[in-house]
Every structure is written in C-alpha cells, then in structure tokens.
Short mmCIF file of all heavy atoms in Angstrom, two decimals:
data_model
loop_
_atom_site.label_atom_id
_atom_site.label_comp_id
_atom_site.label_asym_id
_atom_site.label_seq_id
_atom_site.Cartn_x
_atom_site.Cartn_y
_atom_site.Cartn_z
N VAL N 57 -12.96 -2.19 2.86
CA VAL N 57 -14.40 -2.17 3.02
C VAL N 57 -14.86 -2.51 4.43
O VAL N 57 -15.81 -1.92 4.94
CB VAL N 57 -15.09 -3.08 1.97
CG1 VAL N 57 -14.80 -4.53 2.24
CG2 VAL N 57 -16.58 -2.81 1.93
N ASP N 58 -14.20 -3.42 5.11
CA ASP N 58 -14.59 -3.80 6.47
C ASP N 58 -13.78 -3.12 7.55
O ASP N 58 -13.82 -3.54 8.71
CB ASP N 58 -14.50 -5.32 6.63
CG ASP N 58 -15.54 -6.06 5.80
OD1 ASP N 58 -16.65 -5.50 5.62
OD2 ASP N 58 -15.25 -7.15 5.30
N ARG N 59 -13.05 -2.08 7.20
CA ARG N 59 -12.28 -1.26 8.14
C ARG N 59 -11.37 -2.14 9.01
O ARG N 59 -11.52 -2.16 10.24
CB ARG N 59 -13.19 -0.39 8.99
CG ARG N 59 -14.02 0.58 8.14
CD ARG N 59 -14.93 1.43 8.99
NE ARG N 59 -14.23 2.33 9.84
CZ ARG N 59 -13.86 3.55 9.53
NH1 ARG N 59 -14.13 4.05 8.35
NH2 ARG N 59 -13.22 4.33 10.39
N PRO N 60 -10.42 -2.84 8.39
CA PRO N 60 -9.53 -3.69 9.19
C PRO N 60 -8.62 -2.92 10.08
O PRO N 60 -8.42 -1.72 9.87
CB PRO N 60 -8.72 -4.42 8.08
CG PRO N 60 -8.71 -3.45 6.94
CD PRO N 60 -10.06 -2.78 6.99
N ASP N 61 -8.08 -3.59 11.10
CA ASP N 61 -7.13 -2.95 12.01
C ASP N 61 -5.74 -2.87 11.39
O ASP N 61 -4.94 -1.99 11.72
CB ASP N 61 -7.03 -3.74 13.32
CG ASP N 61 -8.32 -3.66 14.14
OD1 ASP N 61 -9.06 -2.64 13.99
OD2 ASP N 61 -8.59 -4.59 14.89
N THR N 62 -5.43 -3.86 10.54
CA THR N 62 -4.08 -3.95 9.94
C THR N 62 -4.24 -4.22 8.44
O THR N 62 -5.05 -5.04 8.06
CB THR N 62 -3.27 -5.09 10.58
OG1 THR N 62 -3.20 -4.87 11.98
CG2 THR N 62 -1.85 -5.15 9.98
N VAL N 63 -3.43 -3.51 7.66
CA VAL N 63 -3.40 -3.75 6.19
C VAL N 63 -1.96 -3.89 5.77
O VAL N 63 -1.08 -3.08 6.12
CB VAL N 63 -4.02 -2.51 5.45
CG1 VAL N 63 -3.93 -2.69 3.95
CG2 VAL N 63 -5.46 -2.29 5.90
N VAL N 64 -1.71 -4.95 4.98
CA VAL N 64 -0.38 -5.18 4.40
C VAL N 64 -0.52 -5.21 2.90
O VAL N 64 -1.32 -5.96 2.37
CB VAL N 64 0.22 -6.49 4.92
CG1 VAL N 64 1.54 -6.80 4.21
CG2 VAL N 64 0.42 -6.42 6.43
N ALA N 65 0.27 -4.40 2.23
CA ALA N 65 0.37 -4.45 0.77
C ALA N 65 1.61 -5.30 0.46
O ALA N 65 2.72 -4.92 0.79
CB ALA N 65 0.49 -3.07 0.16
N ASP N 66 1.38 -6.46 -0.15
CA ASP N 66 2.46 -7.39 -0.41
C ASP N 66 2.86 -7.27 -1.90
O ASP N 66 2.08 -7.53 -2.80
CB ASP N 66 1.99 -8.82 -0.14
CG ASP N 66 3.12 -9.83 -0.15
OD1 ASP N 66 4.01 -9.70 -1.00
OD2 ASP N 66 3.09 -10.74 0.69
N PHE N 67 4.13 -6.89 -2.13
CA PHE N 67 4.64 -6.62 -3.46
C PHE N 67 5.42 -7.79 -4.05
O PHE N 67 6.12 -7.64 -5.04
CB PHE N 67 5.55 -5.39 -3.39
CG PHE N 67 4.85 -4.12 -3.74
CD1 PHE N 67 3.73 -3.71 -3.04
CD2 PHE N 67 5.30 -3.30 -4.77
CE1 PHE N 67 3.09 -2.54 -3.32
CE2 PHE N 67 4.67 -2.12 -5.05
CZ PHE N 67 3.55 -1.73 -4.34
N ALA N 68 5.29 -8.98 -3.47
CA ALA N 68 6.10 -10.13 -3.94
C ALA N 68 5.90 -10.39 -5.44
O ALA N 68 6.83 -10.79 -6.13
CB ALA N 68 5.77 -11.37 -3.13
N GLY N 69 4.74 -10.17 -5.96
CA GLY N 69 4.46 -10.44 -7.36
C GLY N 69 4.58 -9.25 -8.30
O GLY N 69 4.28 -9.37 -9.49
N VAL N 70 5.02 -8.13 -7.80
CA VAL N 70 5.13 -6.92 -8.63
C VAL N 70 6.46 -6.93 -9.38
O VAL N 70 7.52 -7.07 -8.80
CB VAL N 70 4.99 -5.65 -7.77
CG1 VAL N 70 5.21 -4.40 -8.62
CG2 VAL N 70 3.62 -5.60 -7.13
N THR N 71 6.37 -6.75 -10.69
CA THR N 71 7.57 -6.78 -11.52
C THR N 71 8.05 -5.39 -11.97
O THR N 71 9.18 -5.24 -12.40
CB THR N 71 7.30 -7.61 -12.81
OG1 THR N 71 6.16 -7.08 -13.49
CG2 THR N 71 6.99 -9.06 -12.43
N PHE N 72 7.17 -4.38 -11.86
CA PHE N 72 7.51 -3.03 -12.31
C PHE N 72 6.57 -2.06 -11.61
O PHE N 72 5.39 -2.39 -11.38
CB PHE N 72 7.34 -2.90 -13.82
CG PHE N 72 7.47 -1.51 -14.33
CD1 PHE N 72 8.70 -0.91 -14.54
CD2 PHE N 72 6.33 -0.75 -14.59
CE1 PHE N 72 8.82 0.40 -15.02
CE2 PHE N 72 6.45 0.57 -15.05
CZ PHE N 72 7.67 1.11 -15.24
N MET N 73 7.07 -0.85 -11.31
CA MET N 73 6.20 0.21 -10.79
C MET N 73 6.75 1.53 -11.27
O MET N 73 7.95 1.78 -11.23
CB MET N 73 6.16 0.16 -9.26
CG MET N 73 5.15 1.15 -8.68
SD MET N 73 4.97 1.04 -6.90
CE MET N 73 6.31 2.08 -6.34
N ASP N 74 5.84 2.42 -11.65
CA ASP N 74 6.25 3.78 -12.03
C ASP N 74 5.57 4.76 -11.06
O ASP N 74 5.11 4.39 -9.99
CB ASP N 74 5.91 4.09 -13.50
CG ASP N 74 4.41 4.09 -13.80
OD1 ASP N 74 3.58 4.02 -12.86
OD2 ASP N 74 4.05 4.15 -15.00
N SER N 75 5.54 6.04 -11.44
CA SER N 75 5.01 7.04 -10.54
C SER N 75 3.52 6.84 -10.21
O SER N 75 3.04 7.28 -9.18
CB SER N 75 5.20 8.47 -11.12
OG SER N 75 4.54 8.58 -12.36
N THR N 76 2.81 6.13 -11.09
CA THR N 76 1.42 5.78 -10.78
C THR N 76 1.38 4.96 -9.50
O THR N 76 0.47 5.14 -8.67
CB THR N 76 0.80 4.96 -11.96
OG1 THR N 76 0.89 5.72 -13.15
CG2 THR N 76 -0.64 4.60 -11.65
N GLY N 77 2.32 4.06 -9.34
CA GLY N 77 2.40 3.24 -8.14
C GLY N 77 2.68 4.04 -6.91
O GLY N 77 2.14 3.76 -5.83
N ILE N 78 3.51 5.04 -7.04
CA ILE N 78 3.80 5.93 -5.89
C ILE N 78 2.51 6.63 -5.47
O ILE N 78 2.16 6.66 -4.27
CB ILE N 78 4.90 6.97 -6.25
CG1 ILE N 78 6.23 6.27 -6.49
CG2 ILE N 78 4.99 8.05 -5.19
CD1 ILE N 78 6.87 5.67 -5.24
N ARG N 79 1.77 7.18 -6.44
CA ARG N 79 0.49 7.85 -6.10
C ARG N 79 -0.46 6.85 -5.46
O ARG N 79 -1.15 7.22 -4.48
CB ARG N 79 -0.13 8.45 -7.38
CG ARG N 79 0.54 9.74 -7.81
CD ARG N 79 -0.24 10.45 -8.91
NE ARG N 79 -0.46 9.65 -10.09
CZ ARG N 79 0.36 9.51 -11.09
NH1 ARG N 79 1.54 10.14 -11.06
NH2 ARG N 79 0.09 8.76 -12.12
N PHE N 80 -0.54 5.65 -6.00
CA PHE N 80 -1.39 4.62 -5.42
C PHE N 80 -1.01 4.33 -3.96
O PHE N 80 -1.86 4.31 -3.07
CB PHE N 80 -1.27 3.32 -6.26
CG PHE N 80 -1.68 2.09 -5.53
CD1 PHE N 80 -2.99 1.85 -5.19
CD2 PHE N 80 -0.72 1.13 -5.17
CE1 PHE N 80 -3.36 0.68 -4.53
CE2 PHE N 80 -1.07 -0.03 -4.53
CZ PHE N 80 -2.39 -0.25 -4.19
N LEU N 81 0.28 4.14 -3.69
CA LEU N 81 0.73 3.83 -2.34
C LEU N 81 0.45 4.96 -1.37
O LEU N 81 0.02 4.72 -0.24
CB LEU N 81 2.20 3.45 -2.34
CG LEU N 81 2.54 2.12 -2.95
CD1 LEU N 81 4.07 1.93 -3.04
CD2 LEU N 81 1.89 0.98 -2.20
N VAL N 82 0.70 6.20 -1.79
CA VAL N 82 0.44 7.35 -0.91
C VAL N 82 -1.06 7.42 -0.58
O VAL N 82 -1.45 7.59 0.57
CB VAL N 82 0.96 8.64 -1.55
CG1 VAL N 82 0.44 9.87 -0.80
CG2 VAL N 82 2.48 8.65 -1.57
N GLY N 83 -1.89 7.25 -1.59
CA GLY N 83 -3.34 7.28 -1.38
C GLY N 83 -3.81 6.13 -0.50
O GLY N 83 -4.63 6.34 0.40
N PHE N 84 -3.27 4.96 -0.72
CA PHE N 84 -3.65 3.78 0.07
C PHE N 84 -3.23 3.97 1.54
O PHE N 84 -4.02 3.73 2.45
CB PHE N 84 -2.99 2.55 -0.57
CG PHE N 84 -3.46 1.21 -0.07
CD1 PHE N 84 -4.60 1.08 0.71
CD2 PHE N 84 -2.78 0.06 -0.43
CE1 PHE N 84 -5.03 -0.18 1.13
CE2 PHE N 84 -3.18 -1.20 -0.03
CZ PHE N 84 -4.32 -1.30 0.74
N LYS N 85 -2.00 4.39 1.74
CA LYS N 85 -1.52 4.63 3.12
C LYS N 85 -2.32 5.71 3.82
O LYS N 85 -2.70 5.57 4.97
CB LYS N 85 -0.02 4.99 3.08
CG LYS N 85 0.54 5.51 4.38
CD LYS N 85 0.93 4.44 5.34
CE LYS N 85 1.81 4.89 6.46
NZ LYS N 85 1.28 5.87 7.39
N THR N 86 -2.64 6.76 3.08
CA THR N 86 -3.45 7.85 3.65
C THR N 86 -4.83 7.37 4.04
O THR N 86 -5.33 7.72 5.10
CB THR N 86 -3.53 9.02 2.64
OG1 THR N 86 -2.20 9.47 2.34
CG2 THR N 86 -4.35 10.16 3.19
N ARG N 87 -5.44 6.52 3.20
CA ARG N 87 -6.74 5.94 3.54
C ARG N 87 -6.63 5.06 4.77
O ARG N 87 -7.53 5.07 5.63
CB ARG N 87 -7.29 5.12 2.37
CG ARG N 87 -7.76 5.92 1.17
CD ARG N 87 -9.15 6.54 1.36
NE ARG N 87 -10.17 5.63 1.86
CZ ARG N 87 -10.85 4.73 1.17
NH1 ARG N 87 -10.62 4.55 -0.11
NH2 ARG N 87 -11.76 3.98 1.75
N CYS N 88 -5.57 4.25 4.86
CA CYS N 88 -5.36 3.40 6.04
C CYS N 88 -5.27 4.29 7.30
O CYS N 88 -5.89 3.98 8.32
CB CYS N 88 -4.15 2.54 5.89
SG CYS N 88 -4.32 1.21 4.71
N ASP N 89 -4.47 5.33 7.19
CA ASP N 89 -4.32 6.24 8.34
C ASP N 89 -5.67 6.86 8.76
O ASP N 89 -5.95 7.00 9.93
CB ASP N 89 -3.36 7.38 7.98
CG ASP N 89 -1.91 6.91 7.89
OD1 ASP N 89 -1.59 5.80 8.31
OD2 ASP N 89 -1.07 7.71 7.38
N SER N 90 -6.51 7.19 7.76
CA SER N 90 -7.77 7.85 8.05
C SER N 90 -8.76 6.95 8.80
O SER N 90 -9.64 7.44 9.50
CB SER N 90 -8.42 8.37 6.76
OG SER N 90 -8.98 7.32 5.99
N ILE N 91 -8.60 5.62 8.66
CA ILE N 91 -9.50 4.71 9.40
C ILE N 91 -8.77 4.10 10.60
O ILE N 91 -9.32 3.23 11.27
CB ILE N 91 -10.07 3.60 8.48
CG1 ILE N 91 -8.99 2.65 7.97
CG2 ILE N 91 -10.89 4.20 7.36
CD1 ILE N 91 -9.51 1.40 7.33
N GLY N 92 -7.54 4.48 10.86
CA GLY N 92 -6.78 4.01 11.98
C GLY N 92 -6.19 2.63 11.80
O GLY N 92 -5.86 1.96 12.80
N ALA N 93 -6.03 2.19 10.56
CA ALA N 93 -5.47 0.85 10.29
C ALA N 93 -3.93 0.95 10.25
O ALA N 93 -3.37 1.85 9.64
CB ALA N 93 -5.98 0.33 8.98
N ALA N 94 -3.29 0.00 10.90
CA ALA N 94 -1.84 -0.10 10.81
C ALA N 94 -1.47 -0.47 9.40
O ALA N 94 -2.19 -1.22 8.74
CB ALA N 94 -1.31 -1.13 11.80
N TRP N 95 -0.32 -0.01 8.93
CA TRP N 95 0.11 -0.17 7.56
C TRP N 95 1.39 -0.97 7.46
O TRP N 95 2.29 -0.81 8.26
CB TRP N 95 0.35 1.21 6.97
CG TRP N 95 1.13 1.26 5.66
CD1 TRP N 95 2.48 1.46 5.56
CD2 TRP N 95 0.65 1.13 4.36
NE1 TRP N 95 2.84 1.47 4.24
CE2 TRP N 95 1.72 1.27 3.49
CE3 TRP N 95 -0.64 0.90 3.83
CZ2 TRP N 95 1.58 1.20 2.11
CZ3 TRP N 95 -0.77 0.83 2.45
CH2 TRP N 95 0.33 0.99 1.63
N GLY N 96 1.45 -1.83 6.44
CA GLY N 96 2.68 -2.54 6.14
C GLY N 96 2.86 -2.63 4.64
O GLY N 96 1.93 -2.81 3.89
N LEU N 97 4.10 -2.49 4.18
CA LEU N 97 4.44 -2.62 2.77
C LEU N 97 5.59 -3.61 2.70
O LEU N 97 6.72 -3.29 3.10
CB LEU N 97 4.86 -1.24 2.20
CG LEU N 97 5.24 -1.14 0.74
CD1 LEU N 97 4.12 -1.69 -0.14
CD2 LEU N 97 5.52 0.31 0.39
N GLU N 98 5.31 -4.85 2.26
CA GLU N 98 6.26 -5.93 2.38
C GLU N 98 6.67 -6.49 1.03
O GLU N 98 5.97 -6.35 0.03
CB GLU N 98 5.66 -7.05 3.21
CG GLU N 98 5.36 -6.65 4.62
CD GLU N 98 4.73 -7.75 5.45
OE1 GLU N 98 4.40 -8.82 4.89
OE2 GLU N 98 4.61 -7.58 6.66
N ASN N 99 7.82 -7.19 1.05
CA ASN N 99 8.37 -7.89 -0.11
C ASN N 99 8.57 -6.98 -1.30
O ASN N 99 8.26 -7.32 -2.46
CB ASN N 99 7.45 -9.09 -0.49
CG ASN N 99 7.33 -10.09 0.62
OD1 ASN N 99 8.36 -10.47 1.23
ND2 ASN N 99 6.13 -10.49 0.93
N VAL N 100 9.10 -5.81 -1.05
CA VAL N 100 9.32 -4.80 -2.06
C VAL N 100 10.72 -4.99 -2.67
O VAL N 100 11.70 -5.14 -1.95
CB VAL N 100 9.20 -3.39 -1.45
CG1 VAL N 100 9.32 -2.33 -2.53
CG2 VAL N 100 7.87 -3.24 -0.72
N SER N 101 10.79 -5.01 -4.00
CA SER N 101 12.05 -5.23 -4.68
C SER N 101 12.97 -4.01 -4.47
O SER N 101 12.54 -2.90 -4.16
CB SER N 101 11.82 -5.42 -6.19
OG SER N 101 11.41 -4.20 -6.79
N THR N 102 14.26 -4.24 -4.67
CA THR N 102 15.24 -3.18 -4.54
C THR N 102 14.95 -2.03 -5.47
O THR N 102 15.08 -0.86 -5.05
CB THR N 102 16.65 -3.76 -4.82
OG1 THR N 102 16.89 -4.85 -3.91
CG2 THR N 102 17.73 -2.72 -4.65
N SER N 103 14.55 -2.28 -6.69
CA SER N 103 14.28 -1.20 -7.64
C SER N 103 13.06 -0.35 -7.21
O SER N 103 13.07 0.87 -7.37
CB SER N 103 14.09 -1.74 -9.06
OG SER N 103 12.96 -2.59 -9.12
#
C-alpha cells in the first residue's frame, strides 16, 4: 500500500504450500517488480 522500496516474504511459519502458493508468489513478485520494490523470499523450507 505504501509502495515500499524493499519487500521480504518470510516463510518461517509456513507449514505447507501447494500450487496456490506458487501463483501467489509469482503475483506478489510481479507486483513488487511493477512498483520497483526489491524482493526477498526468506526462511523457505526444503519442501
């Protein structure tokens, strides 16, 4: 909402993700790119 310069999606608390999550991440990253925000995806489980 406030057009930040940097956005980090922290997955430390995520226990499961399916293809819905892939669509979410692609859309989220694309939105970050469209406003020029740097992107980070951290604490992602091996699965």
Side-chain angles (χ1 to χ4, degrees):
V57 69
D58 292 326
R59 300 179 66 90
D61 292 333
T62 303
V63 176
V64 174
D66 190 322
F67 267 56
V70 175
T71 57
F72 171 81
M73 186 175 87
D74 65 9
S75 62
T76 302
I78 294 292
R79 284 191 302 276
F80 159 70
L81 289 174
V82 168
F84 193 11
K85 167 83 165 63
T86 301
R87 288 281 312 280
C88 288
D89 290 347
S90 75
I91 65 167
W95 165 265
L97 181 55
E98 297 179 351
N99 300 313
V100 183
S101 70
T102 302
S103 62

